[in-house]
Amino acid sequence: MSAHCQLTGAKPGFGNTISHSHRRTSRRFDPNVQRKRYWLPSEGRRVRLTLSAKAIKTVDAIGIEAAVVRIRARGGKV
């Protein structure tokens, strides 16, 4: 599963791990991405979305219908 949110577009960030001796090694900061199923009443089916934790809260606030409209406006497939 790629660490990419369908609603917010959150992707991994990159940086360095700095050790006690101040050596730097590459690391990756992944967003908190979960797979979640929602019932989409307008289409009469369930949809499975890959969402960050922040996006799950957004769906709870605006509703699944509005969230699907936003995902499709970004060019995403639902």
Side-chain angles (χ1 to χ4, degrees):
M1 169 170 61
S2 75
H4 178 265
C5 176
Q6 289 180 291
L7 182 61
T8 62
K11 294 185 222 174
F14 295 90
N16 291 308
T17 298
I18 302 180
S19 68
H20 180 70
S21 64
H22 218 65
R23 265 184 90 118
R24 293 159 192 251
T25 54
S26 295
R27 65 158 293 178
R28 194 170 128 146
F29 295 91
D30 287 328
N32 184 6
V33 172
Q34 313 290 325
R35 287 186 63 109
K36 193 146 167 65
R37 287 190 339 166
Y38 289 98
W39 174 253
L40 195 56
S42 64
E43 298 182 15
R45 67 184 181 105
R46 291 187 179 274
V47 292
R48 189 187 311 250
L49 300 175
T50 305
L51 301 172
S52 63
K54 180 181 177 182
I56 291 172
K57 294 173 191 173
T58 302
V59 170
D60 290 344
I62 67 172
I64 185 62
E65 297 289 345
V68 167
V69 168
R70 286 188 190 182
I71 292 170
R72 288 182 173 147
R74 292 183 77 244
K77 183 176 172 248
V78 176

